């Protein structure tokens, strides 16, 4: 029985410490007295948490605040640069590694193409790169851990990637592999879940009911409800690309028919561009890629859009129609405060946003859409790395709901 109590006490201490650290981070510089008041904790609980945090370098004391008579209080502030974390963002085409501070700022990063590797070979390559990357870091004891994100169906509690069709990875115990090799605490999360957290914490969308949709190689979404990630039983919630938009459509590798993925992902748009060029339809894309099909990438498509290319504009409109229909379903079902569009098809494509908005205005329920914030992703090209950092920092700080 005593052991049980001891364990509980340890847990409560850790939670209080997270609370105190988070308050110093959000409201600092702040005095110990204020901390006790704002967190509804006893002064002695705050004092011992602060003492530990100072000793470990998370917090430092700075000058004095103004006092209402009596001694001036010493103020505490958060030190984001005293520790760091390793972020790993696996996508279906790249391995991204970064060292980041505790405010999710990138200190150094490296990006490597996956180049058709699948299954075990992806892990072997990752560990090779991680060995070099961690060797290049000083003071490993100042590292709070490793956070890894990957597309696919992920169990965050077990740290296992259950399923990723494109990389052919099934039931890979990523957390265990990394913890065994580097002896550091490791977090594993789905990439879309991590980016919705990042947009909430570090981006322009500080809403507890938030949906993030990404259009790139494939389609994904991250869904926050009352500040909690919607995961589903197996970590498979948010497989937005595999919602069906056409019952008499193309058969998808997931087993369904007419999946959104087959109509609006970059892969789908790319194959339409190739077909158009092959059938002799004039387009700037042909010229911009120098006639080399392998050079037709999203940035070329967006360049053609900017220059008013008819094919690119037609395809963008088609994407907007399908995407609009799917988004209306989400809005009517989840009634989010905000909905964010990201991924390489959306970055730098404001026309897409405008057309989807127009579609929503026509088709979503007025009460649900009228005050919903709708915009493009705000975190730029490091969004997946900031996402990985957010997963770890969320745990470290125990972010509270009512921030």
């Amino acid at each position: 029985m005593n052991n049980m109590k001891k364990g509980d006490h340890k847990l409560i201490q850790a939670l209080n410490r997270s609370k105190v650290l988070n308050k110093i981070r959000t409201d600092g510089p702040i005095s110990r007295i204020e901390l006790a008041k704002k967190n509804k904790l006893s002064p002695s609980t705050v004092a011992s948490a602060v003492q530990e945090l100072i000793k470990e370098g998370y917090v430092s004391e700075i000058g004095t605040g103004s006092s209402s008579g009596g001694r001036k209080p010493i103020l505490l502030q958060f030190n984001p640069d005293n520790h760091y974390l390793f972020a790993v963002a696996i996508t279906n085409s790249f391995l991204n590694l970064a060292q980041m501070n505790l405010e999710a700022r990138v200190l150094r990063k490296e990006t490597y193409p996956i180049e058709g590797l699948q299954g075990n070979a992806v892990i072997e390559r990752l560990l090779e790169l991680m060995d070099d990357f961690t060797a290049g870091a000083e003071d490993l004891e100042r590292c709070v851990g490793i956070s890894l994100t990957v597309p696919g169906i992920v169990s965050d509690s077990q740290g296992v990637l259950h399923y990723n069709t494109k990389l052919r990875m099934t039931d890979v115990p990523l957390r265990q592999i990394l913890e065994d090799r580097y002896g550091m605490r490791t977090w594993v999360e789905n990439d879309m879940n991590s980016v919705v957290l990042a947009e909430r914490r570090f981006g322009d969308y500080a809403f507890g009911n938030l949906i993030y949709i990404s259009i790139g190689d494939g389609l994904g979404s991250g869904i926050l409800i009352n500040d909690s990630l919607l995961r589903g039983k197996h970590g498979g919630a948010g497989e937005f690309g595999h919602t069906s938009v056409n019952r008499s459509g193309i058969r998808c590798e997931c087993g369904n028919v007419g999946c959104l993925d087959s109509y609006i992902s970059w892969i789908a748009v790319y194959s339409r561009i190739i077909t158009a060029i092959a059938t002799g339809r004039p387009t700037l894309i042909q010229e911009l890629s120098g006639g080399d099909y392998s050079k037709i990438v999203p940035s070329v498509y967006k360049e053609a859009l900017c220059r008013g290319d008819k094919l690119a504009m037609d395809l963008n409109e088609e994407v907007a129609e399908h995407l609009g229909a799917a988004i209306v379903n989400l809005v009517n079902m989840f009634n989010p405060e905000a909905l964010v569009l990201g991924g390489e098809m959306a970055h730098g494509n404001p026309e897409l946003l405008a057309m989807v908005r127009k579609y929503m205005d026509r088709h979503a329920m007025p009460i649900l859409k009228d005050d919903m914030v709708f915009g493009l992703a705000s975190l730029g090209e490091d969004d997946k790395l900031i996402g990985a950092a957010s997963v770890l920092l969320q745990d470290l700080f125990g972010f509270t709901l009512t921030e």
Side-chain angles (χ1 to χ4, degrees):
M1 187 65 203
N2 278 347
N3 284 352
M4 170 77 185
K5 282 197 166 138
K6 202 169 170 186
D8 285 355
H9 182 62
K10 274 259 178 290
L11 181 67
I12 290 164
Q13 263 184 324
L15 287 173
N16 286 338
R17 184 184 140 124
S18 281
K19 261 191 197 167
V20 168
L21 179 56
N22 196 39
K23 243 331 167 229
I24 297 171
R25 186 185 71 85
T26 55
D27 296 13
I30 186 171
S31 70
R32 287 169 174 79
I33 305 288
E34 278 295 293
L35 277 173
K37 267 190 219 151
K38 285 189 172 174
N39 279 321
K40 299 189 176 57
L41 294 170
S42 73
S44 65
T45 299
V46 167
S48 67
V50 165
Q51 193 183 349
E52 263 181 48
L53 292 167
I54 290 175
K55 197 172 108 207
E56 289 171 29
Y58 287 104
V59 167
S60 57
E61 294 185 328
I62 55 166
T64 51
S66 55
S67 96
S68 45
R71 255 180 3 163
K72 288 186 172 172
I74 292 166
L75 300 181
L76 302 160
Q77 74 175 5
F78 173 52
N79 296 333
D81 292 309
N82 205 61
H83 292 74
Y84 62 84
L85 60 97
F86 290 121
V88 180
I90 301 176
T91 72
N92 289 326
S93 346
F94 292 97
L95 294 171
N96 305 287
L97 310 179
Q99 186 175 339
M100 302 173 82
N101 81 351
L102 299 193
E103 270 166 355
R105 193 165 59 78
V106 173
L107 306 172
R108 63 183 181 112
K109 65 171 177 175
E110 288 172 18
T111 298
Y112 302 91
I114 282 183
E115 287 168 337
L117 297 175
Q118 289 188 320
N120 240 353
V122 177
I123 302 300
E124 280 165 25
R125 180 88 179 105
L126 172 67
L127 295 177
E128 249 169 59
L129 297 171
M130 279 284 291
D131 286 352
D132 287 350
F133 195 76
T134 52
E138 293 154 28
D139 304 346
L140 282 174
E141 70 279 357
R142 289 194 311 140
C143 179
V144 292
I146 300 168
S147 188
L148 178 147
T149 68
V150 59
I153 295 177
V154 173
S155 160
D156 72 302
S157 57
Q158 295 166 346
V160 172
L161 168 60
H162 285 305
Y163 192 52
N164 176 313
T165 46
K166 295 197 171 72
L167 297 174
R168 300 265 162 91
M169 292 164 84
T170 309
D171 295 330
V172 183
L174 287 165
R175 177 194 296 152
Q176 201 186 335
I177 292 170
L178 293 176
E179 285 190 345
D180 290 352
R181 190 173 183 103
Y182 302 106
M184 287 180 203
R185 197 167 164 209
T186 300
W187 286 256
V188 177
E189 181 58 275
N190 165 274
D191 60 342
M192 293 297 118
N193 284 353
S194 77
V195 176
V196 79
L197 280 183
E199 284 287 358
R200 159 82 176 94
R201 297 290 163 201
F202 300 104
D204 296 343
Y205 300 94
F207 300 99
N209 291 289
L210 179 65
I211 296 181
Y212 171 84
I213 291 169
S214 168
I215 328 177
D217 288 351
L219 262 94
S221 71
I223 301 170
L224 265 184
I225 295 176
N226 297 335
D227 249 323
S228 294
L229 282 169
L230 178 70
R231 298 183 189 281
K233 181 181 171 190
H234 296 292
E239 282 293 326
F240 182 58
H242 297 290
T243 49
S244 186
V245 290
N246 178 2
R247 287 313 300 161
S248 52
I250 310 160
R251 172 147 313 266
C252 176
E253 63 185 7
C254 80
N256 199 354
V257 177
C259 282
L260 190 57
D261 210 18
S262 312
Y263 294 88
I264 70 170
S265 67
W266 168 245
I267 294 163
V269 171
Y270 173 81
S271 67
R272 282 207 208 100
I273 294 169
I274 302 297
T275 307
I277 291 173
T279 55
R281 182 166 173 190
T283 168
L284 275 173
I285 296 174
Q286 171 89 323
E287 189 187 311
L288 290 168
S289 61
D292 178 351
Y293 285 179
S294 70
K295 292 215 165 68
I296 298 175
V297 291
S299 55
V300 167
Y301 165 73
K302 285 182 289 195
E303 172 70 14
L305 261 184
C306 284
R307 297 199 195 176
D309 178 65
K310 183 80 173 76
L311 173 68
M313 286 165 75
D314 287 351
L315 289 174
N316 215 32
E317 205 167 314
E318 243 172 83
V319 168
E321 288 281 306
H322 280 300
L323 184 59
I327 284 179
V328 166
N329 287 341
L330 286 182
V331 171
N332 288 350
M333 193 146 156
F334 290 107
N335 184 17
E337 292 166 275
L339 197 141
V340 184
L341 216 48
E344 48 187 358
M345 291 282 284
H347 286 308
N349 189 351
E351 290 81 14
L352 184 66
L353 189 78
M355 287 189 287
V356 171
R357 180 174 275 133
K358 211 159 146 190
Y359 187 98
M360 269 185 357
D361 281 343
R362 286 204 308 274
H363 301 286
M365 287 188 212
I367 176 79
L368 302 186
K369 67 156 168 57
D370 283 350
D371 61 352
M372 185 186 81
V373 174
F374 180 51
L376 290 174
S378 65
L379 295 169
E381 60 172 27
D382 289 332
D383 58 351
K384 297 256 179 26
L385 291 167
I386 298 169
S390 302
V391 172
L392 185 158
L393 295 173
Q394 161 120 331
D395 233 11
L396 187 68
F397 297 131
F399 287 136
T400 44
L401 298 185
T402 50
E403 238 177 68

